[in-house]
Structures are given as structure tokens and as C-alpha cells.
Amino acid sequence: MIKYILLVCMVYIATSTESSGSCKPCKEVQDGPDAGNYLLERENVEGCRDGCLYAKGEVLYCIEVLPNVQGYLTLAPEVCPVPTTTTTTTTTTTTTTTTKTTCDSGWQEFEGACYILKTEMMKRNDASAACQQLHNGAHLTSVTNAGENEFLRDLASWDGNPVWLGALRQTSDGGGSGSWTWSDNTKWSFLRSFFLSGYPDYIGDCVIMDYPSGGWMNVPCDYYNPSFCKYSL
């Protein structure tokens, strides 16, 4: 049981105080009106048996007050519990999107796109649908420059027949030109230099690449030919 002694201003300096040199940083009273934690005020105090003086607010405490010493309350010798440290761990989930940079098996890569020659003889519209079923995002090929046209010419050598391209004439001006589009929605540039002499004419609205010349001819869309399919990486 804690013995309460009123705080007074005078502190008696005892001559027989022990200095432990190992005062605990905190002491705890677990019961009674003075229950609570008391922090170490200072060490080597002659008025306390072990030299450890504790404080709670403005009131001073000793674990054991020496005889005839006034000014301190007696504190029960209980060490304060070690404070509990709560560690919050934040887990960050990183989602990585991987972009495929190589063509699927059987496809040939050229300048960031993949190509395949389908040797099955089909009408133009059937060939277009077959390309779309063959791979997500694939269409009958567009051609945007001479290097791509040369690449396709070499690819056509596997079969040796004229091959469907993705060009389609939407309207005709009666003289062979008119309005053209690519089936993959690539912006159309009228690459007349790729057409063989005499083409395009007014006979057909679909385009094949001749082999071995690599030149283009417009022909009726119900002809049967192999086809080039293309998708972008």
C-alpha cells in the first residue's frame, strides 16, 4: 500500500542515500488514487533510498523515502511496462503492362508490324475476313513506303502468285483513280509509282501485288488469290 506524504518545500538532505546509478526511466503505480506512470526526474537524490526521484506533474516521488525526509511521496516499486510500438506496413502493388515486341510464330516482322502470307486462294472479301480471324487486330495489309512494298514482294516469293493487298476503291472517277482506302484504316496515299503501267484502270476495285515485279494491279474483287495479313506490334 502506498503511503502518502504531503509535499512541502523543504527537502532534508540525508547522508546515507544509496546511488544506484541505474534508475529506471519510468515507474508505475497500478492501484489507488495515484495510479499512473511516473517519469524519472533525476538521479543521485540523497532523499531517496536508491537515489532515484520520479515526478508526476508537480509532485515528486521516491521508491522509498529515507527516515525523517520530508518532501517526497513514497512510490510503489513497479517498473513501467515497455510501450507498445505499432508498426504500420503499407504494401504497394505495382501493375506492369507488358507490350509484346515480337511477332507470333509464323509471322514475319518489318518496321514494327507483323506479316504473314496466306496461300489459300480466296476472294478479296473472304481473305479480309480470314485475316481478322487469324489474329487480333490483323487486316489485309496496307503499304506505306517502298521498303515495305519490297519486303512484301520477297514474302510473295514463297507462293509465286499475285497476292491480295488491303487497298479498296470506294468510288471511281471513271478514269481509274477515284477514292481508295486501306482495310486497316491506314491513311491512304495514292502510290501511283507502285502500279504497273496501265493501272489503275476502271475494271476492278481491289488490288493485288504481282510477282515477281512487286507492282500493283487493280482487279475484280471476286478473283481468287493468296493474301497478305498484317497487324501492328
Side-chain angles (χ1 to χ4, degrees):
M1 181 176 176
I2 301 173
K3 177 181 179 182
Y4 301 98
I5 305 175
L6 294 178
L7 177 63
V8 296
C9 297
M10 181 183 69
V11 177
Y12 176 80
I13 306 301
T15 58
S16 60
T17 302
E18 301 176 4
S19 178
S20 65
S22 60
C23 296
K24 302 298 181 182
C26 181
K27 290 291 184 176
E28 179 186 27
V29 173
Q30 297 181 349
D31 300 306
D34 283 343
N37 294 340
Y38 305 98
L39 300 180
L40 180 66
E41 177 74 12
R42 58 181 181 270
E43 298 183 73
N44 300 315
V45 176
E46 296 180 347
C48 300
R49 175 72 68 183
D50 59 1
C52 302
L53 180 66
Y54 294 88
K56 180 182 178 184
E58 297 181 354
V59 182
L60 302 178
Y61 303 84
C62 284
I63 292 179
E64 182 180 355
V65 181
L66 291 175
N68 301 320
V69 174
Q70 295 180 336
Y72 306 138
L73 298 181
T74 299
L75 178 65
E78 299 291 340
V79 179
C80 293
V82 178
T84 301
T85 301
T86 301
T87 302
T88 301
T89 302
T90 302
T91 302
T92 302
T93 301
T94 302
T95 301
T96 303
T97 301
T98 303
T99 302
K100 187 176 179 62
T101 57
T102 57
C103 297
D104 288 353
S105 177
W107 294 73
Q108 304 295 313
E109 192 273 335
F110 180 80
E111 293 185 348
C114 300
Y115 304 79
I116 196 169
L117 172 64
K118 285 182 60 63
T119 58
E120 183 180 357
M121 307 292 282
M122 306 176 72
K123 295 180 180 180
R124 192 272 182 194
N125 289 344
D126 293 337
S128 179
C131 284
Q132 295 178 48
Q133 294 175 2
L134 189 62
H135 192 282
N136 182 36
H139 296 274
L140 284 174
T141 189
S142 56
V143 182
T144 59
N145 58 67
E148 187 176 19
N149 198 71
E150 183 67 16
F151 169 79
L152 292 170
R153 188 195 71 84
D154 293 341
L155 195 60
S157 67
W158 294 2
D159 183 78
N161 289 304
V163 185
W164 285 122
L165 301 177
L168 181 67
R169 180 161 51 191
Q170 302 295 329
T171 61
S172 176
D173 61 4
S177 294
S179 175
W180 296 79
T181 60
W182 291 111
S183 59
D184 63 0
N185 295 318
T186 296
K187 184 178 180 180
W188 174 264
S189 294
F190 192 71
L191 307 174
R192 181 175 288 277
S193 62
F194 293 160
F195 279 95
L196 295 175
S197 179
Y199 296 92
D201 58 22
Y202 60 88
I203 295 177
D205 294 329
C206 295
V207 176
I208 57 174
M209 174 183 283
D210 178 58
Y211 182 81
S213 70
W216 300 359
M217 299 181 291
N218 64 300
V219 298
C221 297
D222 59 357
Y223 279 17
Y224 285 83
N225 292 290
S227 53
F228 288 127
C229 300
K230 170 185 177 181
Y231 70 89
S232 298
L233 286 173

